[in-house]
Amino acid sequence: RGGRHDDHMGNEIDEQPVVARRVLDALAPSIRDGALWNRLGLPPVEEIDRVAVLGCGTSLHAGRALAGVFARVGRIPTRALTASEAAHEVWEPRTLVVAMSQSGETADVLRALDGLPSGHGTVLALTNNTASSLARRADAVIDCLAGPEIGVAATKTFVAQVLTGACVALSGLSVSGRADAAVLDADLSALAATPDALSGALHAWRDRAADLAADLVTASGFLFLGRGAGLVYAAEGALKLKELSYRWAEHHAAGELKHGPLALVDAGTPVFVVDDGDPRLDVDIAEVEARGGRVIRVGERALRVGGLSLQLPRTGPSWGPLETVVPLQLFSRELALRLQRNVDKPRNLAKSVTVA
Ligand code: F6R
C-alpha cells in the first residue's frame, strides 16, 4: 500500500506533507505575476464583485477555508454554500463560483450548478479528477494534485484543495490592486512553510493521538471548538470523528459556547480546541475546564526559545491553521481503530456520492 500502515487512510494522512510540496512546486512559482490565474482563463479580479464557493462535506470545509482567502486578502464579499442547499440562492452577475469536489461527481454540486442562470459569471472547478462531470461542466478547471485517494474519508484531498485554492486566489489577488499587501505577504510566507508545518504536526501528534484515543475510547460525545479561521478545522475534526468512529461529535464557534453548548460539558467531556492564536480562546478553555471538561488544544502557540516556553500571539494565514487538521485526523483514525471500525470504508458512506 506504499506506506507504513495497513489501511489507506493512515498512509494518506502521512502523505500530506508530500502532497503539499507537490502543490507548491507546481503552483507557487506562478502566483506573484498572476500567471496561474491567467492560465486558467479567469476574469481579472477587478471584474469580480463576489465569490461563491460550493461544496459538500470535507470539500465544503476546504471551500470555507478558501473563502477566507478571497475575503481577508481581497476584501471581496464571499460566501461558502452547502451545495445541497443552494437551490434558492440569488445569483448575481460578476460572481466567481468555485465548485469544490475531490471526485468531481458529487450530484449535489452538479445540481447546484444547474441552478445558475446564464450570464451569472464564471465557474471554476477545483477537483482531484480533471476528467470528471464537474470538470466538463466548468469554465475553468484546476487539479488539486492530491493523487489517488482510496480511503472514503477525505484527508489528503482536503489539504490539497485548501492549498490549491489558496494558490489560485492569491495569484489573482496579487496582480489585482485589491489585495491587502501585508496579509498577502504573510500568506505567501505561510504557504511556503506549510509542508514543514504538516510534517511537524504529524511527528508531534502520532503517538499523542494514539494515547489520547486509548484514554477517550469510552467517551460517547465530543465537542470541537474554534474561532475565526480556526472554526473550519473544528468542523472538519468533528466530521472526521463521527464518520470514522460513529461517535457523536459537534463543532461550534467557541463564542457560542455560553449560548447553549456549554450545557453539554460535564466531568471528563472531551473538548478539542483549534487554536488559531485568538487570545479569547483562553477564556473559552477556562469555561470548559471550570465544568470539568477535558480540553485538548491543537495548534498550540507555545514556542520554545532558548529553553523558555513562550506564548506567542500568532497571525495565521487567511485560510487558517491548516496543520491542525493533522492531529484531528490522527485522533479520529486511532479512535476508530480501537473501536474496530473499518477506517477505509466507514459504514453507510461512499467515496463518490452521485445521488442528490
Ligand atoms: C468526508 C467526506 C465527504 C466528502 C463529500 C464530498 O470525509 O469524504 O464528506 O467530502 O461527500 O465529496 P467530493 O469532494 O467528492 O465532492
Side-chain angles (χ1 to χ4, degrees):
R1 299 195 173 202
R4 59 206 285 273
H5 304 287
D6 291 335
D7 55 284
H8 291 288
M9 187 200 184
N11 295 328
E12 287 163 1
I13 291 173
D14 283 357
E15 220 185 304
Q16 292 177 116
V18 173
V19 169
R21 173 69 58 213
R22 186 187 308 143
V23 170
L24 296 181
D25 284 350
L27 305 183
S30 47
I31 292 179
R32 267 285 190 201
D33 59 0
L36 172 56
W37 185 269
N38 295 335
R39 192 158 78 220
L40 292 168
L42 297 170
V45 168
E46 288 80 358
E47 292 173 19
I48 292 171
D49 291 341
R50 51 192 65 75
V51 178
V53 189
L54 277 173
C56 305
T58 292
S59 286
L60 174 60
H61 295 156
R64 288 195 197 288
L66 171 59
V69 183
F70 285 107
R72 283 166 220 230
V73 183
R75 299 201 187 92
I76 302 175
T78 303
R79 59 201 198 275
L81 301 171
T82 305
S84 57
E85 291 293 328
H88 301 293
E89 206 52 36
V90 178
W91 295 105
E92 312 205 39
R94 292 165 57 104
T95 298
L96 172 66
V97 178
V98 187
M100 317 269 293
S101 171
Q102 62 80 24
S103 65
E105 300 295 346
T106 299
D108 286 322
V109 174
L110 297 169
R111 192 160 291 184
L113 294 181
D114 288 342
L116 289 178
S118 59
H120 64 279
T122 306
V123 176
L124 168 65
L126 201 162
T127 179
N128 201 34
N129 179 4
T130 53
S132 59
S133 307
L134 175 62
R136 285 196 298 278
R137 167 71 181 72
D139 301 305
V141 183
I142 179 96
D143 185 345
C144 75
L145 299 172
E149 185 177 69
I150 311 295
V152 164
T155 53
K156 64 174 181 166
T157 53
F158 172 76
V159 162
Q161 284 173 321
V162 172
L163 292 177
T164 309
C167 287
V168 171
L170 293 175
S171 176
L173 292 165
S174 287
V175 288
S176 71
R178 272 176 85 163
D180 179 316
V183 184
L184 178 68
D185 285 346
D187 272 7
L188 291 170
S189 310
L191 210 49
T194 302
D196 286 348
L198 291 168
S199 59
L202 271 170
H203 289 120
W205 278 91
R206 207 187 301 280
D207 295 342
R208 260 165 102 183
D211 294 347
L212 208 51
D215 263 17
L216 295 174
V217 73
T218 57
S220 54
F222 295 79
L223 284 174
F224 289 76
L225 305 176
R227 279 181 180 266
L231 183 54
V232 78
Y233 300 95
E236 178 58 9
L239 177 59
K240 284 289 96 93
L241 191 83
K242 63 191 118 187
E243 72 175 323
L244 287 159
S245 71
Y246 320 152
R247 294 287 195 237
W248 288 82
E250 292 186 7
H251 72 275
H252 293 281
E256 282 290 291
L257 205 52
K258 56 189 172 300
H259 301 293
L262 199 51
L264 290 169
V265 178
D266 201 352
T269 307
V271 182
F272 283 85
V273 176
V274 175
D275 189 347
D276 70 323
D278 190 321
R280 292 173 299 174
L281 288 169
D282 291 337
V283 179
D284 304 325
I285 287 170
E287 293 286 356
V288 171
E289 287 179 338
R291 274 85 189 172
R294 172 158 179 194
V295 171
I296 305 112
R297 193 170 181 150
V298 298
E300 291 94 335
R301 286 167 287 156
L303 187 75
R304 294 193 69 79
V305 179
L308 293 173
S309 180
L310 303 175
Q311 289 290 316
L312 291 186
R314 187 177 70 181
T315 345
S318 55
W319 56 87
L322 177 62
E323 71 284 359
T324 61
V325 80
V326 171
L328 303 178
Q329 296 166 338
L330 289 172
F331 175 73
S332 294
R333 175 178 170 277
E334 292 289 351
L335 186 67
L337 288 173
R338 284 206 159 255
L339 293 166
Q340 303 195 320
R341 316 298 194 213
N342 180 342
V343 293
D344 282 341
K345 216 174 169 329
R347 68 183 182 195
N348 309 338
L349 301 176
K351 185 71 186 158
S352 180
V353 186
T354 52
V355 286

